[in-house]
Amino acid sequence: LFNMIVEVPRWTNAKMEIATEEPLNPIKQDIKKGKLRYVANIFPHKGYIWNYGALPQTWEDPKHTDNITGCCGDNDPIDVCEIGSKIRSSGEIVQVKVLGVLALVDEGETDWKIIAISVDDPEAQKIHGKGIDDVKKHKPGYLEATVDWFRLYKVPDGKPENQFAFNGEFKDKDFAVEIIKSTHEYWKALLHNKADGGTIKCTNVLVSSSPFCCSEEDAQSIVQSAPLPVNGDSVSPEVDSWHFFSK
């Protein structure tokens, strides 16, 4: 079992991400070229098709070339697609069972996508023993839709289709857990200043052996100094556009 942080609730479009370059890593909407980022709706989907988030205490090291994919890491925590029936909230912590993993190669970087289901989901007991094969049985078409989604989601922005290792085949839960373990080791190196995290802010309150550990009071001060929430710009009608691509 692992604890997932939800960044993006299912069916929503705003590209919310853990802001690793800011102290305490708040969840914020990503910005590109001065504009808030939204993922496109690619028929027949609306926004993200799972509760999307990340596993804390993991890091895909951009200076490490993966032996399997031949690509370096994407400099982020490992991503999770939670396939349960409930729509979660951004910032929610969800305990999940890992079922398998997809190896996306995004602009030359390894970007692992863990497939998981919340332990409190009504189907969690049915989708467990055989992991990814159980997903195929109980949620037919979901894995194929997942590959299509990741293949095409940047095409409306003028970028090429994403590629996959293993020809887009999902690896089983044992393989996925090994990937999580390895990215956890890279995270430990990062938190103990044994790996170059570049602009990543490693400020934390729990890893006492980390040189980046701070007090609860310091953390509270960081939170209190954050800008107050304001009403942002209205969402462009373009966000609701529907895009069609051949399979």
Side-chain angles (χ1 to χ4, degrees), residues 136-182:
K136 295 175 183 176
K137 177 181 177 182
H138 295 286
K139 293 182 181 284
Y142 206 171
L143 296 180
E144 292 84 352
T146 294
V147 172
D148 277 342
W149 195 97
F150 281 119
R151 179 171 64 89
L152 295 170
Y153 83 103
K154 290 188 175 181
V155 174
D157 296 329
K159 294 185 177 181
E161 293 182 2
N162 281 322
Q163 304 299 313
F164 303 90
F166 319 119
N167 294 317
E169 294 180 8
F170 289 82
K171 292 296 185 179
D172 63 20
K173 62 181 180 182
D174 291 337
F175 188 103
V177 170
E178 288 305 312
I179 296 296
I180 294 169
K181 286 180 179 178
S182 68

mmCIF file of all heavy atoms in Angstrom, residues 136-182:
data_model
loop_
_atom_site.group_PDB
_atom_site.id
_atom_site.type_symbol
_atom_site.label_atom_id
_atom_site.label_comp_id
_atom_site.label_asym_id
_atom_site.label_seq_id
_atom_site.Cartn_x
_atom_site.Cartn_y
_atom_site.Cartn_z
ATOM 1 N N LYS A 136 -8.077 -5.326 -16.627
ATOM 2 C CA LYS A 136 -8.585 -5.679 -17.954
ATOM 3 C C LYS A 136 -9.933 -6.398 -17.841
ATOM 4 O O LYS A 136 -10.835 -6.186 -18.659
ATOM 5 C CB LYS A 136 -7.586 -6.576 -18.687
ATOM 6 C CG LYS A 136 -6.262 -5.904 -19.010
ATOM 7 C CD LYS A 136 -5.279 -6.894 -19.616
ATOM 8 C CE LYS A 136 -3.924 -6.244 -19.870
ATOM 9 N NZ LYS A 136 -2.930 -7.223 -20.370
ATOM 10 N N LYS A 137 -10.071 -7.215 -16.810
ATOM 11 C CA LYS A 137 -11.296 -8.002 -16.634
ATOM 12 C C LYS A 137 -12.460 -7.158 -16.132
ATOM 13 O O LYS A 137 -13.579 -7.237 -16.658
ATOM 14 C CB LYS A 137 -11.021 -9.157 -15.663
ATOM 15 C CG LYS A 137 -12.243 -10.008 -15.345
ATOM 16 C CD LYS A 137 -11.880 -11.109 -14.357
ATOM 17 C CE LYS A 137 -13.109 -11.924 -13.963
ATOM 18 N NZ LYS A 137 -12.756 -12.973 -12.958
ATOM 19 N N HIS A 138 -12.201 -6.344 -15.102
ATOM 20 C CA HIS A 138 -13.294 -5.632 -14.428
ATOM 21 C C HIS A 138 -13.537 -4.223 -14.972
ATOM 22 O O HIS A 138 -14.614 -3.660 -14.749
ATOM 23 C CB HIS A 138 -13.018 -5.556 -12.927
ATOM 24 C CG HIS A 138 -13.022 -6.891 -12.245
ATOM 25 N ND1 HIS A 138 -14.184 -7.596 -12.000
ATOM 26 C CD2 HIS A 138 -12.000 -7.674 -11.792
ATOM 27 C CE1 HIS A 138 -13.894 -8.736 -11.398
ATOM 28 N NE2 HIS A 138 -12.583 -8.815 -11.264
ATOM 29 N N LYS A 139 -12.563 -3.653 -15.669
ATOM 30 C CA LYS A 139 -12.747 -2.337 -16.278
ATOM 31 C C LYS A 139 -12.293 -2.393 -17.736
ATOM 32 O O LYS A 139 -11.300 -1.757 -18.114
ATOM 33 C CB LYS A 139 -11.966 -1.271 -15.488
ATOM 34 C CG LYS A 139 -12.512 -1.032 -14.081
ATOM 35 C CD LYS A 139 -11.729 0.059 -13.369
ATOM 36 C CE LYS A 139 -12.263 0.286 -11.963
ATOM 37 N NZ LYS A 139 -13.534 1.048 -11.922
ATOM 38 N N PRO A 140 -13.031 -3.160 -18.555
ATOM 39 C CA PRO A 140 -12.611 -3.349 -19.948
ATOM 40 C C PRO A 140 -12.511 -2.031 -20.711
ATOM 41 O O PRO A 140 -13.388 -1.178 -20.605
ATOM 42 C CB PRO A 140 -13.707 -4.251 -20.531
ATOM 43 C CG PRO A 140 -14.886 -4.101 -19.611
ATOM 44 C CD PRO A 140 -14.299 -3.852 -18.260
ATOM 45 N N GLY A 141 -11.398 -1.882 -21.439
ATOM 46 C CA GLY A 141 -11.185 -0.682 -22.243
ATOM 47 C C GLY A 141 -10.452 0.430 -21.539
ATOM 48 O O GLY A 141 -9.955 1.366 -22.181
ATOM 49 N N TYR A 142 -10.343 0.359 -20.205
ATOM 50 C CA TYR A 142 -9.742 1.456 -19.440
ATOM 51 C C TYR A 142 -8.245 1.593 -19.729
ATOM 52 O O TYR A 142 -7.727 2.697 -19.897
ATOM 53 C CB TYR A 142 -9.975 1.218 -17.954
ATOM 54 C CG TYR A 142 -10.001 2.472 -17.087
ATOM 55 C CD1 TYR A 142 -10.388 2.393 -15.742
ATOM 56 C CD2 TYR A 142 -9.652 3.726 -17.577
ATOM 57 C CE1 TYR A 142 -10.430 3.520 -14.934
ATOM 58 C CE2 TYR A 142 -9.693 4.862 -16.781
ATOM 59 C CZ TYR A 142 -10.077 4.753 -15.457
ATOM 60 O OH TYR A 142 -10.116 5.870 -14.660
ATOM 61 N N LEU A 143 -7.546 0.464 -19.788
ATOM 62 C CA LEU A 143 -6.105 0.529 -20.033
ATOM 63 C C LEU A 143 -5.809 1.003 -21.453
ATOM 64 O O LEU A 143 -4.879 1.785 -21.675
ATOM 65 C CB LEU A 143 -5.465 -0.834 -19.774
ATOM 66 C CG LEU A 143 -5.544 -1.335 -18.328
ATOM 67 C CD1 LEU A 143 -4.882 -2.699 -18.202
ATOM 68 C CD2 LEU A 143 -4.898 -0.334 -17.365
ATOM 69 N N GLU A 144 -6.620 0.543 -22.413
ATOM 70 C CA GLU A 144 -6.438 0.998 -23.796
ATOM 71 C C GLU A 144 -6.688 2.505 -23.892
ATOM 72 O O GLU A 144 -5.966 3.228 -24.594
ATOM 73 C CB GLU A 144 -7.388 0.232 -24.723
ATOM 74 C CG GLU A 144 -7.087 -1.251 -24.881
ATOM 75 C CD GLU A 144 -7.670 -2.131 -23.772
ATOM 76 O OE1 GLU A 144 -8.197 -1.572 -22.773
ATOM 77 O OE2 GLU A 144 -7.586 -3.358 -23.880
ATOM 78 N N ALA A 145 -7.715 2.972 -23.164
ATOM 79 C CA ALA A 145 -8.010 4.411 -23.154
ATOM 80 C C ALA A 145 -6.869 5.193 -22.509
ATOM 81 O O ALA A 145 -6.541 6.315 -22.934
ATOM 82 C CB ALA A 145 -9.317 4.670 -22.404
ATOM 83 N N THR A 146 -6.247 4.600 -21.500
ATOM 84 C CA THR A 146 -5.128 5.253 -20.821
ATOM 85 C C THR A 146 -3.951 5.448 -21.775
ATOM 86 O O THR A 146 -3.335 6.524 -21.822
ATOM 87 C CB THR A 146 -4.698 4.422 -19.592
ATOM 88 O OG1 THR A 146 -5.764 4.439 -18.631
ATOM 89 C CG2 THR A 146 -3.433 4.967 -18.957
ATOM 90 N N VAL A 147 -3.636 4.422 -22.553
ATOM 91 C CA VAL A 147 -2.544 4.535 -23.530
ATOM 92 C C VAL A 147 -2.879 5.595 -24.575
ATOM 93 O O VAL A 147 -2.041 6.440 -24.918
ATOM 94 C CB VAL A 147 -2.269 3.185 -24.213
ATOM 95 C CG1 VAL A 147 -1.278 3.346 -25.373
ATOM 96 C CG2 VAL A 147 -1.724 2.182 -23.205
ATOM 97 N N ASP A 148 -4.113 5.582 -25.077
ATOM 98 C CA ASP A 148 -4.528 6.579 -26.071
ATOM 99 C C ASP A 148 -4.427 7.994 -25.502
ATOM 100 O O ASP A 148 -3.980 8.922 -26.181
ATOM 101 C CB ASP A 148 -5.972 6.318 -26.530
ATOM 102 C CG ASP A 148 -6.049 5.256 -27.612
ATOM 103 O OD1 ASP A 148 -5.004 4.976 -28.242
ATOM 104 O OD2 ASP A 148 -7.141 4.717 -27.828
ATOM 105 N N TRP A 149 -4.854 8.155 -24.264
ATOM 106 C CA TRP A 149 -4.838 9.473 -23.628
ATOM 107 C C TRP A 149 -3.411 10.011 -23.554
ATOM 108 O O TRP A 149 -3.143 11.142 -23.970
ATOM 109 C CB TRP A 149 -5.441 9.378 -22.224
ATOM 110 C CG TRP A 149 -5.817 10.696 -21.611
ATOM 111 C CD1 TRP A 149 -7.059 11.263 -21.597
ATOM 112 C CD2 TRP A 149 -4.952 11.619 -20.918
ATOM 113 N NE1 TRP A 149 -7.012 12.479 -20.938
ATOM 114 C CE2 TRP A 149 -5.738 12.718 -20.517
ATOM 115 C CE3 TRP A 149 -3.598 11.611 -20.604
ATOM 116 C CZ2 TRP A 149 -5.208 13.806 -19.811
ATOM 117 C CZ3 TRP A 149 -3.062 12.699 -19.908
ATOM 118 C CH2 TRP A 149 -3.868 13.771 -19.518
ATOM 119 N N PHE A 150 -2.508 9.206 -23.032
ATOM 120 C CA PHE A 150 -1.122 9.675 -22.904
ATOM 121 C C PHE A 150 -0.439 9.840 -24.265
ATOM 122 O O PHE A 150 0.429 10.697 -24.424
ATOM 123 C CB PHE A 150 -0.320 8.716 -22.026
ATOM 124 C CG PHE A 150 -0.558 8.915 -20.557
ATOM 125 C CD1 PHE A 150 -1.082 7.888 -19.783
ATOM 126 C CD2 PHE A 150 -0.276 10.125 -19.941
ATOM 127 C CE1 PHE A 150 -1.307 8.059 -18.424
ATOM 128 C CE2 PHE A 150 -0.496 10.309 -18.584
ATOM 129 C CZ PHE A 150 -1.014 9.270 -17.826
ATOM 130 N N ARG A 151 -0.851 9.063 -25.230
ATOM 131 C CA ARG A 151 -0.252 9.183 -26.558
ATOM 132 C C ARG A 151 -0.607 10.510 -27.210
ATOM 133 O O ARG A 151 0.208 11.145 -27.882
ATOM 134 C CB ARG A 151 -0.730 8.015 -27.438
ATOM 135 C CG ARG A 151 -0.188 8.041 -28.864
ATOM 136 C CD ARG A 151 -0.517 6.748 -29.582
ATOM 137 N NE ARG A 151 -1.950 6.545 -29.740
ATOM 138 C CZ ARG A 151 -2.665 6.996 -30.780
ATOM 139 N NH1 ARG A 151 -2.067 7.682 -31.737
ATOM 140 N NH2 ARG A 151 -3.951 6.750 -30.860
ATOM 141 N N LEU A 152 -1.833 10.988 -26.980
ATOM 142 C CA LEU A 152 -2.358 12.114 -27.746
ATOM 143 C C LEU A 152 -2.477 13.436 -26.987
ATOM 144 O O LEU A 152 -2.716 14.474 -27.611
ATOM 145 C CB LEU A 152 -3.744 11.746 -28.295
ATOM 146 C CG LEU A 152 -3.799 10.604 -29.310
ATOM 147 C CD1 LEU A 152 -5.243 10.197 -29.568
ATOM 148 C CD2 LEU A 152 -3.114 11.014 -30.606
ATOM 149 N N TYR A 153 -2.307 13.435 -25.669
ATOM 150 C CA TYR A 153 -2.760 14.608 -24.912
ATOM 151 C C TYR A 153 -1.996 15.892 -25.227
ATOM 152 O O TYR A 153 -2.495 16.988 -24.963
ATOM 153 C CB TYR A 153 -2.781 14.323 -23.406
ATOM 154 C CG TYR A 153 -1.477 14.460 -22.665
ATOM 155 C CD1 TYR A 153 -1.222 15.581 -21.876
ATOM 156 C CD2 TYR A 153 -0.504 13.466 -22.701
ATOM 157 C CE1 TYR A 153 -0.041 15.710 -21.163
ATOM 158 C CE2 TYR A 153 0.682 13.589 -21.991
ATOM 159 C CZ TYR A 153 0.912 14.715 -21.227
ATOM 160 O OH TYR A 153 2.087 14.833 -20.526
ATOM 161 N N LYS A 154 -0.800 15.805 -25.805
ATOM 162 C CA LYS A 154 -0.056 17.012 -26.164
ATOM 163 C C LYS A 154 -0.204 17.401 -27.632
ATOM 164 O O LYS A 154 0.267 18.473 -28.034
ATOM 165 C CB LYS A 154 1.429 16.828 -25.824
ATOM 166 C CG LYS A 154 1.717 16.812 -24.330
ATOM 167 C CD LYS A 154 3.215 16.812 -24.056
ATOM 168 C CE LYS A 154 3.491 16.915 -22.567
ATOM 169 N NZ LYS A 154 4.951 16.935 -22.276
ATOM 170 N N VAL A 155 -0.860 16.562 -28.404
ATOM 171 C CA VAL A 155 -1.002 16.839 -29.842
ATOM 172 C C VAL A 155 -1.770 18.134 -30.106
ATOM 173 O O VAL A 155 -1.383 18.915 -30.989
ATOM 174 C CB VAL A 155 -1.655 15.636 -30.567
ATOM 175 C CG1 VAL A 155 -1.944 15.974 -32.026
ATOM 176 C CG2 VAL A 155 -0.729 14.420 -30.488
ATOM 177 N N PRO A 156 -2.866 18.431 -29.372
ATOM 178 C CA PRO A 156 -3.563 19.711 -29.610
ATOM 179 C C PRO A 156 -2.680 20.938 -29.383
ATOM 180 O O PRO A 156 -2.988 22.021 -29.888
ATOM 181 C CB PRO A 156 -4.723 19.661 -28.606
ATOM 182 C CG PRO A 156 -4.977 18.216 -28.387
ATOM 183 C CD PRO A 156 -3.617 17.584 -28.410
ATOM 184 N N ASP A 157 -1.565 20.779 -28.638
ATOM 185 C CA ASP A 157 -0.637 21.897 -28.413
ATOM 186 C C ASP A 157 0.428 21.978 -29.498
ATOM 187 O O ASP A 157 1.378 22.766 -29.386
ATOM 188 C CB ASP A 157 0.047 21.738 -27.052
ATOM 189 C CG ASP A 157 -0.939 21.818 -25.894
ATOM 190 O OD1 ASP A 157 -1.944 22.546 -26.035
ATOM 191 O OD2 ASP A 157 -0.716 21.154 -24.870
ATOM 192 N N GLY A 158 0.269 21.158 -30.538
ATOM 193 C CA GLY A 158 1.225 21.199 -31.639
ATOM 194 C C GLY A 158 2.438 20.310 -31.453
ATOM 195 O O GLY A 158 3.395 20.397 -32.230
ATOM 196 N N LYS A 159 2.409 19.454 -30.439
ATOM 197 C CA LYS A 159 3.545 18.566 -30.187
ATOM 198 C C LYS A 159 3.285 17.187 -30.796
ATOM 199 O O LYS A 159 2.133 16.817 -31.053
ATOM 200 C CB LYS A 159 3.796 18.442 -28.678
ATOM 201 C CG LYS A 159 4.258 19.754 -28.061
ATOM 202 C CD LYS A 159 4.628 19.591 -26.610
ATOM 203 C CE LYS A 159 5.168 20.896 -26.028
ATOM 204 N NZ LYS A 159 5.553 20.759 -24.609
ATOM 205 N N PRO A 160 4.338 16.399 -31.029
ATOM 206 C CA PRO A 160 4.150 15.061 -31.596
ATOM 207 C C PRO A 160 3.530 14.107 -30.586
ATOM 208 O O PRO A 160 3.483 14.402 -29.377
ATOM 209 C CB PRO A 160 5.573 14.626 -31.956
ATOM 210 C CG PRO A 160 6.451 15.417 -31.034
ATOM 211 C CD PRO A 160 5.758 16.738 -30.836
ATOM 212 N N GLU A 161 3.063 12.979 -31.058
ATOM 213 C CA GLU A 161 2.522 11.957 -30.164
ATOM 214 C C GLU A 161 3.620 11.462 -29.229
ATOM 215 O O GLU A 161 4.782 11.371 -29.603
ATOM 216 C CB GLU A 161 1.971 10.777 -30.965
ATOM 217 C CG GLU A 161 0.753 11.108 -31.796
ATOM 218 C CD GLU A 161 0.211 9.888 -32.527
ATOM 219 O OE1 GLU A 161 0.781 8.777 -32.343
ATOM 220 O OE2 GLU A 161 -0.768 10.034 -33.272
ATOM 221 N N ASN A 162 3.231 11.149 -27.990
ATOM 222 C CA ASN A 162 4.174 10.550 -27.060
ATOM 223 C C ASN A 162 4.426 9.088 -27.428
ATOM 224 O O ASN A 162 3.571 8.432 -28.043
ATOM 225 C CB ASN A 162 3.642 10.623 -25.625
ATOM 226 C CG ASN A 162 3.846 11.993 -25.013
ATOM 227 O OD1 ASN A 162 4.868 12.637 -25.232
ATOM 228 N ND2 ASN A 162 2.874 12.442 -24.221
ATOM 229 N N GLN A 163 5.574 8.593 -27.019
ATOM 230 C CA GLN A 163 5.954 7.210 -27.277
ATOM 231 C C GLN A 163 5.994 6.444 -25.956
ATOM 232 O O GLN A 163 5.945 7.029 -24.872
ATOM 233 C CB GLN A 163 7.324 7.161 -27.961
ATOM 234 C CG GLN A 163 7.407 7.971 -29.248
ATOM 235 C CD GLN A 163 6.440 7.504 -30.314
ATOM 236 O OE1 GLN A 163 6.345 6.296 -30.585
ATOM 237 N NE2 GLN A 163 5.709 8.434 -30.903
ATOM 238 N N PHE A 164 6.100 5.128 -26.068
ATOM 239 C CA PHE A 164 6.115 4.275 -24.881
ATOM 240 C C PHE A 164 7.219 3.230 -24.992
ATOM 241 O O PHE A 164 7.558 2.791 -26.083
ATOM 242 C CB PHE A 164 4.772 3.541 -24.722
ATOM 243 C CG PHE A 164 3.579 4.442 -24.651
ATOM 244 C CD1 PHE A 164 2.909 4.808 -25.810
ATOM 245 C CD2 PHE A 164 3.120 4.929 -23.447
ATOM 246 C CE1 PHE A 164 1.808 5.644 -25.771
ATOM 247 C CE2 PHE A 164 2.021 5.775 -23.385
ATOM 248 C CZ PHE A 164 1.365 6.128 -24.546
ATOM 249 N N ALA A 165 7.750 2.841 -23.830
ATOM 250 C CA ALA A 165 8.590 1.656 -23.787
ATOM 251 C C ALA A 165 7.672 0.430 -23.810
ATOM 252 O O ALA A 165 6.468 0.542 -23.533
ATOM 253 C CB ALA A 165 9.448 1.659 -22.527
ATOM 254 N N PHE A 166 8.217 -0.717 -24.164
ATOM 255 C CA PHE A 166 7.463 -1.990 -24.190
ATOM 256 C C PHE A 166 6.266 -1.938 -25.135
ATOM 257 O O PHE A 166 5.260 -2.621 -24.926
ATOM 258 C CB PHE A 166 6.976 -2.392 -22.790
ATOM 259 C CG PHE A 166 7.970 -2.176 -21.689
ATOM 260 C CD1 PHE A 166 7.680 -1.310 -20.643
ATOM 261 C CD2 PHE A 166 9.201 -2.808 -21.697
ATOM 262 C CE1 PHE A 166 8.597 -1.086 -19.620
ATOM 263 C CE2 PHE A 166 10.115 -2.585 -20.671
ATOM 264 C CZ PHE A 166 9.820 -1.728 -19.640
ATOM 265 N N ASN A 167 6.351 -1.065 -26.162
ATOM 266 C CA ASN A 167 5.249 -0.939 -27.135
ATOM 267 C C ASN A 167 3.918 -0.607 -26.467
ATOM 268 O O ASN A 167 2.851 -1.009 -26.937
ATOM 269 C CB ASN A 167 5.098 -2.232 -27.956
ATOM 270 C CG ASN A 167 6.310 -2.486 -28.839
ATOM 271 O OD1 ASN A 167 6.822 -1.558 -29.473
ATOM 272 N ND2 ASN A 167 6.774 -3.724 -28.873
ATOM 273 N N GLY A 168 3.970 0.127 -25.379
ATOM 274 C CA GLY A 168 2.746 0.544 -24.703
ATOM 275 C C GLY A 168 2.098 -0.532 -23.866
ATOM 276 O O GLY A 168 0.952 -0.380 -23.435
ATOM 277 N N GLU A 169 2.813 -1.613 -23.586
ATOM 278 C CA GLU A 169 2.269 -2.679 -22.739
ATOM 279 C C GLU A 169 2.461 -2.325 -21.262
ATOM 280 O O GLU A 169 3.476 -1.736 -20.880
ATOM 281 C CB GLU A 169 2.961 -4.011 -23.036
ATOM 282 C CG GLU A 169 2.679 -4.552 -24.428
ATOM 283 C CD GLU A 169 3.375 -5.869 -24.674
ATOM 284 O OE1 GLU A 169 3.945 -6.433 -23.696
ATOM 285 O OE2 GLU A 169 3.371 -6.329 -25.819
ATOM 286 N N PHE A 170 1.482 -2.694 -20.450
ATOM 287 C CA PHE A 170 1.558 -2.450 -19.016
ATOM 288 C C PHE A 170 2.357 -3.558 -18.345
ATOM 289 O O PHE A 170 2.188 -4.736 -18.656
ATOM 290 C CB PHE A 170 0.155 -2.394 -18.401
ATOM 291 C CG PHE A 170 -0.619 -1.166 -18.783
ATOM 292 C CD1 PHE A 170 -1.293 -1.111 -19.999
ATOM 293 C CD2 PHE A 170 -0.695 -0.077 -17.930
ATOM 294 C CE1 PHE A 170 -2.010 0.021 -20.371
ATOM 295 C CE2 PHE A 170 -1.413 1.059 -18.290
ATOM 296 C CZ PHE A 170 -2.066 1.104 -19.507
ATOM 297 N N LYS A 171 3.222 -3.165 -17.419
ATOM 298 C CA LYS A 171 3.949 -4.141 -16.621
ATOM 299 C C LYS A 171 3.181 -4.408 -15.326
ATOM 300 O O LYS A 171 2.369 -3.602 -14.887
ATOM 301 C CB LYS A 171 5.356 -3.616 -16.304
ATOM 302 C CG LYS A 171 6.242 -3.524 -17.541
ATOM 303 C CD LYS A 171 6.498 -4.903 -18.142
ATOM 304 C CE LYS A 171 7.453 -4.868 -19.296
ATOM 305 N NZ LYS A 171 7.707 -6.216 -19.865
ATOM 306 N N ASP A 172 3.447 -5.581 -14.719
ATOM 307 C CA ASP A 172 2.641 -6.010 -13.570
ATOM 308 C C ASP A 172 3.021 -5.266 -12.289
ATOM 309 O O ASP A 172 3.935 -4.441 -12.261
ATOM 310 C CB ASP A 172 2.737 -7.526 -13.386
ATOM 311 C CG ASP A 172 4.160 -7.990 -13.056
ATOM 312 O OD1 ASP A 172 4.984 -7.163 -12.597
ATOM 313 O OD2 ASP A 172 4.447 -9.183 -13.250
ATOM 314 N N LYS A 173 2.291 -5.592 -11.222
ATOM 315 C CA LYS A 173 2.456 -4.837 -9.973
ATOM 316 C C LYS A 173 3.834 -5.047 -9.351
ATOM 317 O O LYS A 173 4.380 -4.116 -8.742
ATOM 318 C CB LYS A 173 1.355 -5.201 -8.974
ATOM 319 C CG LYS A 173 1.341 -6.650 -8.534
ATOM 320 C CD LYS A 173 0.205 -6.895 -7.560
ATOM 321 C CE LYS A 173 0.200 -8.359 -7.120
ATOM 322 N NZ LYS A 173 -0.911 -8.656 -6.201
ATOM 323 N N ASP A 174 4.410 -6.245 -9.492
ATOM 324 C CA ASP A 174 5.746 -6.472 -8.932
ATOM 325 C C ASP A 174 6.774 -5.574 -9.617
ATOM 326 O O ASP A 174 7.656 -5.002 -8.965
ATOM 327 C CB ASP A 174 6.143 -7.944 -9.093
ATOM 328 C CG ASP A 174 5.312 -8.866 -8.204
ATOM 329 O OD1 ASP A 174 4.764 -8.377 -7.193
ATOM 330 O OD2 ASP A 174 5.204 -10.062 -8.526
ATOM 331 N N PHE A 175 6.663 -5.440 -10.928
ATOM 332 C CA PHE A 175 7.536 -4.551 -11.684
ATOM 333 C C PHE A 175 7.332 -3.108 -11.203
ATOM 334 O O PHE A 175 8.295 -2.368 -10.981
ATOM 335 C CB PHE A 175 7.201 -4.671 -13.174
ATOM 336 C CG PHE A 175 8.140 -3.949 -14.093
ATOM 337 C CD1 PHE A 175 9.093 -4.635 -14.817
ATOM 338 C CD2 PHE A 175 8.056 -2.575 -14.246
ATOM 339 C CE1 PHE A 175 9.964 -3.965 -15.674
ATOM 340 C CE2 PHE A 175 8.914 -1.886 -15.097
ATOM 341 C CZ PHE A 175 9.870 -2.592 -15.813
ATOM 342 N N ALA A 176 6.060 -2.734 -11.029
ATOM 343 C CA ALA A 176 5.732 -1.369 -10.603
ATOM 344 C C ALA A 176 6.325 -1.056 -9.237
ATOM 345 O O ALA A 176 6.878 0.032 -9.016
ATOM 346 C CB ALA A 176 4.215 -1.180 -10.582
ATOM 347 N N VAL A 177 6.229 -2.001 -8.308
ATOM 348 C CA VAL A 177 6.753 -1.778 -6.960
ATOM 349 C C VAL A 177 8.271 -1.603 -6.994
ATOM 350 O O VAL A 177 8.829 -0.777 -6.256
ATOM 351 C CB VAL A 177 6.337 -2.928 -6.018
ATOM 352 C CG1 VAL A 177 7.086 -2.833 -4.689
ATOM 353 C CG2 VAL A 177 4.829 -2.894 -5.769
ATOM 354 N N GLU A 178 8.948 -2.331 -7.854
ATOM 355 C CA GLU A 178 10.399 -2.170 -7.977
ATOM 356 C C GLU A 178 10.758 -0.779 -8.500
ATOM 357 O O GLU A 178 11.748 -0.174 -8.062
ATOM 358 C CB GLU A 178 10.977 -3.260 -8.887
ATOM 359 C CG GLU A 178 10.986 -4.644 -8.263
ATOM 360 C CD GLU A 178 11.716 -4.688 -6.922
ATOM 361 O OE1 GLU A 178 12.854 -4.158 -6.844
ATOM 362 O OE2 GLU A 178 11.147 -5.212 -5.951
ATOM 363 N N ILE A 179 9.954 -0.276 -9.424
ATOM 364 C CA ILE A 179 10.177 1.086 -9.936
ATOM 365 C C ILE A 179 9.981 2.101 -8.812
ATOM 366 O O ILE A 179 10.763 3.052 -8.649
ATOM 367 C CB ILE A 179 9.231 1.394 -11.114
ATOM 368 C CG1 ILE A 179 9.537 0.479 -12.313
ATOM 369 C CG2 ILE A 179 9.309 2.862 -11.513
ATOM 370 C CD1 ILE A 179 10.917 0.671 -12.905
ATOM 371 N N ILE A 180 8.936 1.896 -8.007
ATOM 372 C CA ILE A 180 8.679 2.803 -6.880
ATOM 373 C C ILE A 180 9.841 2.765 -5.892
ATOM 374 O O ILE A 180 10.315 3.803 -5.411
ATOM 375 C CB ILE A 180 7.356 2.437 -6.181
ATOM 376 C CG1 ILE A 180 6.177 2.692 -7.117
ATOM 377 C CG2 ILE A 180 7.193 3.228 -4.882
ATOM 378 C CD1 ILE A 180 4.861 2.120 -6.617
ATOM 379 N N LYS A 181 10.330 1.566 -5.600
ATOM 380 C CA LYS A 181 11.448 1.434 -4.660
ATOM 381 C C LYS A 181 12.686 2.174 -5.168
ATOM 382 O O LYS A 181 13.379 2.857 -4.399
ATOM 383 C CB LYS A 181 11.770 -0.044 -4.440
ATOM 384 C CG LYS A 181 10.765 -0.783 -3.581
ATOM 385 C CD LYS A 181 11.173 -2.239 -3.420
ATOM 386 C CE LYS A 181 10.194 -3.005 -2.530
ATOM 387 N NZ LYS A 181 10.572 -4.441 -2.411
ATOM 388 N N SER A 182 12.965 2.047 -6.458
ATOM 389 C CA SER A 182 14.163 2.702 -7.001
ATOM 390 C C SER A 182 14.018 4.225 -6.964
ATOM 391 O O SER A 182 14.970 4.940 -6.616
ATOM 392 C CB SER A 182 14.446 2.223 -8.429
ATOM 393 O OG SER A 182 13.457 2.668 -9.336
#
